[in-house]
Short mmCIF file of all heavy atoms in Angstrom, two decimals:
data_model
loop_
_atom_site.label_atom_id
_atom_site.label_comp_id
_atom_site.label_asym_id
_atom_site.label_seq_id
_atom_site.Cartn_x
_atom_site.Cartn_y
_atom_site.Cartn_z
N ILE H 1 119.77 48.17 172.61
CA ILE H 1 120.09 47.69 173.91
C ILE H 1 121.51 47.08 173.97
O ILE H 1 122.22 47.39 174.94
CB ILE H 1 119.09 46.46 174.26
CG1 ILE H 1 117.68 47.04 174.68
CG2 ILE H 1 119.61 45.61 175.37
CD1 ILE H 1 116.59 46.01 174.70
N ILE H 2 121.89 46.43 172.94
CA ILE H 2 123.26 45.87 172.91
C ILE H 2 124.30 47.06 172.85
O ILE H 2 125.36 46.99 173.49
CB ILE H 2 123.43 44.90 171.72
CG1 ILE H 2 122.57 43.67 171.94
CG2 ILE H 2 124.94 44.45 171.59
CD1 ILE H 2 122.58 42.77 170.73
N ALA H 3 123.95 48.10 172.02
CA ALA H 3 124.86 49.21 171.96
C ALA H 3 124.96 49.97 173.32
O ALA H 3 126.12 50.44 173.65
CB ALA H 3 124.33 50.26 170.86
N ILE H 4 123.87 50.01 174.12
CA ILE H 4 123.99 50.60 175.43
C ILE H 4 124.94 49.81 176.27
O ILE H 4 125.76 50.32 176.99
CB ILE H 4 122.56 50.71 176.14
CG1 ILE H 4 121.74 51.68 175.39
CG2 ILE H 4 122.66 50.97 177.60
CD1 ILE H 4 120.22 51.64 175.67
N GLN H 5 124.70 48.44 176.22
CA GLN H 5 125.57 47.55 177.19
C GLN H 5 127.04 47.60 176.71
O GLN H 5 127.88 47.49 177.62
CB GLN H 5 125.05 46.16 176.99
CG GLN H 5 123.59 45.94 177.58
CD GLN H 5 122.90 44.67 177.29
OE1 GLN H 5 123.29 44.11 176.29
NE2 GLN H 5 121.93 44.23 178.07
N ALA H 6 127.37 47.78 175.47
CA ALA H 6 128.67 47.83 175.00
C ALA H 6 129.23 49.19 175.17
O ALA H 6 130.45 49.40 175.69
CB ALA H 6 128.78 47.37 173.56
N GLY H 7 128.42 50.27 174.94
CA GLY H 7 128.95 51.67 174.99
C GLY H 7 129.36 52.08 176.35
O GLY H 7 130.45 52.77 176.54
N ILE H 8 128.68 51.57 177.41
CA ILE H 8 129.01 51.96 178.75
C ILE H 8 130.41 51.48 179.12
O ILE H 8 131.04 52.04 180.10
CB ILE H 8 127.97 51.41 179.70
CG1 ILE H 8 127.97 52.21 181.09
CG2 ILE H 8 128.14 49.95 179.96
CD1 ILE H 8 127.50 53.62 180.95
N LEU H 9 130.85 50.39 178.47
CA LEU H 9 132.21 49.82 178.83
C LEU H 9 133.27 50.78 178.48
O LEU H 9 134.43 50.59 179.01
CB LEU H 9 132.40 48.48 178.15
CG LEU H 9 131.33 47.40 178.31
CD1 LEU H 9 131.55 46.24 177.46
CD2 LEU H 9 131.44 46.89 179.86
N LEU H 10 133.10 51.65 177.55
CA LEU H 10 134.15 52.65 177.16
C LEU H 10 134.30 53.79 178.13
O LEU H 10 135.33 54.47 178.02
CB LEU H 10 133.81 53.09 175.76
CG LEU H 10 133.85 52.05 174.58
CD1 LEU H 10 133.43 52.74 173.24
CD2 LEU H 10 135.23 51.41 174.52
N ASN H 11 133.22 53.96 178.90
CA ASN H 11 133.33 55.17 179.87
C ASN H 11 133.66 56.46 179.01
O ASN H 11 134.38 57.31 179.56
CB ASN H 11 134.36 54.90 180.90
CG ASN H 11 134.12 55.79 182.10
OD1 ASN H 11 132.91 56.24 182.31
ND2 ASN H 11 135.09 56.05 182.93
N ASP H 12 133.06 56.59 177.88
CA ASP H 12 133.17 57.75 177.12
C ASP H 12 132.20 58.77 177.48
O ASP H 12 130.98 58.49 177.54
CB ASP H 12 132.91 57.37 175.57
CG ASP H 12 133.11 58.52 174.60
OD1 ASP H 12 132.00 59.18 174.44
OD2 ASP H 12 134.24 58.77 174.17
N PRO H 13 132.60 60.07 177.70
CA PRO H 13 131.63 61.05 178.23
C PRO H 13 130.43 61.30 177.30
O PRO H 13 129.42 61.45 177.80
CB PRO H 13 132.51 62.30 178.40
CG PRO H 13 133.77 62.04 177.62
CD PRO H 13 133.97 60.65 177.68
N VAL H 14 130.60 61.40 176.01
CA VAL H 14 129.57 61.61 175.09
C VAL H 14 128.59 60.38 175.03
O VAL H 14 127.43 60.62 175.10
CB VAL H 14 130.19 61.81 173.66
CG1 VAL H 14 128.91 62.00 172.66
CG2 VAL H 14 131.08 63.07 173.58
N ILE H 15 129.11 59.22 174.98
CA ILE H 15 128.29 57.98 175.00
C ILE H 15 127.53 57.92 176.36
O ILE H 15 126.33 57.59 176.41
CB ILE H 15 129.08 56.74 174.83
CG1 ILE H 15 129.63 56.66 173.36
CG2 ILE H 15 128.27 55.51 175.10
CD1 ILE H 15 130.45 55.44 173.01
N ASN H 16 128.26 58.25 177.49
CA ASN H 16 127.56 58.16 178.77
C ASN H 16 126.54 59.25 178.92
O ASN H 16 125.34 58.95 179.45
CB ASN H 16 128.63 58.47 179.93
CG ASN H 16 129.49 57.34 180.11
OD1 ASN H 16 129.35 56.24 179.42
ND2 ASN H 16 130.50 57.49 181.01
N ARG H 17 126.61 60.41 178.36
CA ARG H 17 125.60 61.40 178.29
C ARG H 17 124.36 60.96 177.57
O ARG H 17 123.22 61.12 177.92
CB ARG H 17 126.18 62.65 177.79
CG ARG H 17 125.17 63.84 177.85
CD ARG H 17 125.80 65.16 177.72
NE ARG H 17 126.51 65.37 176.50
CZ ARG H 17 127.83 65.42 176.27
NH1 ARG H 17 128.62 65.33 177.35
NH2 ARG H 17 128.37 65.61 175.15
N LYS H 18 124.60 60.27 176.37
CA LYS H 18 123.57 59.86 175.61
C LYS H 18 122.76 58.77 176.36
O LYS H 18 121.57 58.64 176.31
CB LYS H 18 124.07 59.26 174.38
CG LYS H 18 123.01 58.71 173.35
CD LYS H 18 122.02 59.75 172.91
CE LYS H 18 120.95 59.13 172.01
NZ LYS H 18 119.95 60.03 171.62
N ILE H 19 123.38 57.85 176.99
CA ILE H 19 122.78 56.75 177.71
C ILE H 19 121.96 57.40 178.99
O ILE H 19 120.84 56.90 179.16
CB ILE H 19 123.79 55.75 178.33
CG1 ILE H 19 124.51 55.03 177.18
CG2 ILE H 19 123.21 54.81 179.31
CD1 ILE H 19 125.59 54.11 177.58
N LYS H 20 122.41 58.43 179.59
CA LYS H 20 121.71 59.16 180.61
C LYS H 20 120.41 59.69 180.03
O LYS H 20 119.35 59.71 180.70
CB LYS H 20 122.55 60.19 181.21
CG LYS H 20 123.62 59.60 182.18
CD LYS H 20 124.54 60.78 182.78
CE LYS H 20 125.66 60.19 183.61
NZ LYS H 20 126.54 61.32 184.03
N GLU H 21 120.49 60.23 178.86
CA GLU H 21 119.28 60.82 178.20
C GLU H 21 118.32 59.64 178.00
O GLU H 21 117.07 59.86 178.15
CB GLU H 21 119.68 61.44 176.87
CG GLU H 21 120.44 62.76 176.99
CD GLU H 21 120.92 63.30 175.72
OE1 GLU H 21 120.54 62.74 174.66
OE2 GLU H 21 121.67 64.32 175.68
N LEU H 22 118.80 58.55 177.51
CA LEU H 22 117.82 57.49 177.29
C LEU H 22 117.18 56.97 178.58
O LEU H 22 116.01 56.50 178.60
CB LEU H 22 118.62 56.25 176.56
CG LEU H 22 119.13 56.51 175.21
CD1 LEU H 22 119.94 55.40 174.74
CD2 LEU H 22 118.00 56.69 174.22
N ALA H 23 117.96 57.01 179.67
CA ALA H 23 117.40 56.54 180.92
C ALA H 23 116.37 57.49 181.50
O ALA H 23 115.52 57.04 182.09
CB ALA H 23 118.61 56.52 182.01
N GLU H 24 116.44 58.66 180.95
CA GLU H 24 115.42 59.74 181.54
C GLU H 24 114.31 59.91 180.48
O GLU H 24 113.12 60.11 181.08
CB GLU H 24 116.14 61.08 181.74
CG GLU H 24 117.16 61.05 182.85
CD GLU H 24 117.86 62.42 183.00
OE1 GLU H 24 117.42 63.34 182.37
OE2 GLU H 24 118.88 62.50 183.72
N TYR H 25 114.50 59.90 179.24
CA TYR H 25 113.46 60.33 178.33
C TYR H 25 113.00 59.26 177.32
O TYR H 25 112.03 59.48 176.68
CB TYR H 25 114.00 61.58 177.54
CG TYR H 25 114.38 62.74 178.44
CD1 TYR H 25 115.80 63.02 178.38
CD2 TYR H 25 113.60 63.37 179.27
CE1 TYR H 25 116.19 64.10 179.26
CE2 TYR H 25 114.08 64.42 180.05
CZ TYR H 25 115.32 64.76 180.07
OH TYR H 25 115.84 65.80 180.86
N GLU H 26 113.75 58.22 177.24
CA GLU H 26 113.32 57.16 176.24
C GLU H 26 111.90 56.60 176.42
O GLU H 26 111.55 56.22 177.62
CB GLU H 26 114.35 56.07 176.26
CG GLU H 26 113.99 54.91 175.31
CD GLU H 26 113.84 55.17 173.90
OE1 GLU H 26 114.63 55.97 173.32
OE2 GLU H 26 112.93 54.65 173.23
N ALA H 27 111.04 56.59 175.31
CA ALA H 27 109.74 56.05 175.53
C ALA H 27 109.70 54.55 175.67
O ALA H 27 108.81 53.99 176.29
CB ALA H 27 108.92 56.51 174.28
N ASN H 28 110.61 53.87 174.94
CA ASN H 28 110.61 52.39 175.02
C ASN H 28 111.06 51.93 176.45
O ASN H 28 112.25 52.20 176.85
CB ASN H 28 111.50 51.84 173.97
CG ASN H 28 111.54 50.36 173.92
OD1 ASN H 28 111.80 49.69 174.83
ND2 ASN H 28 111.27 49.84 172.64
N ILE H 29 110.21 51.21 177.14
CA ILE H 29 110.49 50.85 178.54
C ILE H 29 111.73 49.94 178.67
O ILE H 29 112.51 50.09 179.58
CB ILE H 29 109.24 50.12 179.13
CG1 ILE H 29 109.54 49.86 180.66
CG2 ILE H 29 108.94 48.85 178.40
CD1 ILE H 29 109.70 51.06 181.43
N ASN H 30 111.89 49.01 177.66
CA ASN H 30 113.01 48.02 177.78
C ASN H 30 114.32 48.77 177.53
O ASN H 30 115.32 48.44 178.24
CB ASN H 30 112.91 46.97 176.68
CG ASN H 30 111.77 45.99 177.09
OD1 ASN H 30 111.50 45.75 178.28
ND2 ASN H 30 111.08 45.56 176.05
#
């Protein structure tokens, strides 16, 4: 969770793509 909140600050395309994947497919609701 903390890595998501920090990673988005970099506006890095690879990190952003990974976060989008988590938003769509991650099983953990939080």
